[in-house]
Amino acid sequence: MTNGISANVGKNLALIDGHAVAFHCWYTSDPNEVIEGFIDMLDDSVRKHRATHAVITFDPPPPVFRHHLYPDYKAGRPPVPEGFLEECEELRELLTDEGYVVVEQEGYEADDLIGTLSELAERSGFNTLISTCDLDLLQLVTEKVSAEVFSQYWPTRMFDVEKTVTRFKGLRPGQIADYKALAGDRSDNLPGVPGIGDVTATVLLREKGSIEAIYQDLESVSDLPMRGAVRTARVLGENKEQAFLMKRLTSIVRDVSLDVNLESAALRVAA
């Protein structure tokens, strides 16, 4: 493993969704393993994107604050494979020994740490690349923040603002949390608002912009040019508390208190 890059103009931060990469490596290797695949993916991301800095984030043991708000959050997921967590712990020790900044925060998921660090990085003049398998993180995409999304089922995809808008049928990155709050998110066991599906959620947000704006003028939803507009307005009125709870759950936190200095995440320059 090399903690090193070629000389490069500007500051480029690689933010790695640690457990997402680890799970990907586990399920795409035979026999199942984490460490070798993770290091290969990390080195490849640093090299391809000319990263000058890197931070690897990990999820803490549950519960996180979302479980306290909604106890069924992520319920029904299969148990972690035997041996996986032990390998992740070995990996973290190896990364730390190699000089990488590794971050975990009790009560918050890696997504929230990535959200906080990407916002800090943008304010600090970095270009940021997020490496993940989680489309939820596309809500963080800006002109200075892009995302590399990998999967065991399809080739790795790169998302900037334009490609994110295309993927979400015209919705901007900042509307993704609203979309998932309305339509639900099966992967996190979030039901959304009863009776609001993908199409309705998309139309509502194209027309109104956000959940807050929808409820500021709820009566006008009945007049929107979509099938079932009157019923949709009624359903929204009956489930206002649910809608705002779902948005709290689907929104990535961007102000977690972290003791991280991005400059300390600088990678050593390769010889």
Side-chain angles (χ1 to χ4, degrees), residues 4-5 12 15 21 23 26 32 62 70 118 124 145 195 205 214 253 263:
I5 57 167
N12 300 323
L15 282 179
V21 175
F23 271 115
W26 180 272
N32 300 124
Y70 186 71
S118 67
S124 302
V145 179
L205 293 170
I214 289 170
V253 179
E263 294 301 336

Side-chain angles (χ1 to χ4, degrees), residues 94-161:
L94 176 61
L95 291 169
T96 300
D97 289 345
E98 288 289 330
Y100 286 97
V101 173
V102 177
V103 183
E104 177 184 304
Q105 182 70 30
E106 181 180 357
Y108 293 93
E109 295 174 85
D111 288 7
D112 302 311
L113 310 187
I114 291 172
T116 298
L117 292 169
S118 67
E119 187 148 304
L120 173 62
E122 188 162 4
R123 294 198 307 267
S124 302
F126 284 84
N127 296 303
T128 299
L129 176 78
I130 298 167
S131 292
T132 185
C133 64
D134 189 353
L135 290 175
D136 290 350
L137 284 163
L138 296 187
Q139 65 186 268
L140 302 176
V141 169
T142 69
E143 295 300 328
K144 292 289 187 177
V145 179
S146 57
E148 175 184 52
V149 180
F150 47 84
S151 169
Q152 59 183 307
Y153 304 112
W154 53 74
T156 297
R157 296 169 290 171
M158 291 295 301
F159 288 92
D160 56 12
V161 172

Side-chain angles (χ1 to χ4, degrees), residues 88-99:
C88 285
E89 191 56 39
E90 289 182 37
L91 170 67
R92 292 177 58 159
E93 293 177 5
L94 176 61
L95 291 169
T96 300
D97 289 345
E98 288 289 330

Side-chain angles (χ1 to χ4, degrees), residues 72-79 187-189:
D72 287 335
Y73 179 63
K74 292 189 175 181
R77 288 193 173 188
S187 67
D188 288 339
N189 196 42

Side-chain angles (χ1 to χ4, degrees), residues 239-253:
N239 292 278
K240 181 177 181 179
E241 184 176 345
Q242 172 91 345
F244 280 95
L245 171 61
M246 289 295 114
K247 183 165 181 179
R248 177 81 190 280
L249 296 168
T250 59
S251 296
I252 292 175
V253 179

Side-chain angles (χ1 to χ4, degrees), residues 23 26-27 31-34 78-88:
F23 271 115
W26 180 272
Y27 286 115
N32 300 124
E33 65 87 28
V34 169
V80 174
E82 184 177 354
F84 175 80
L85 292 178
E86 290 78 7
E87 280 219 34
C88 285

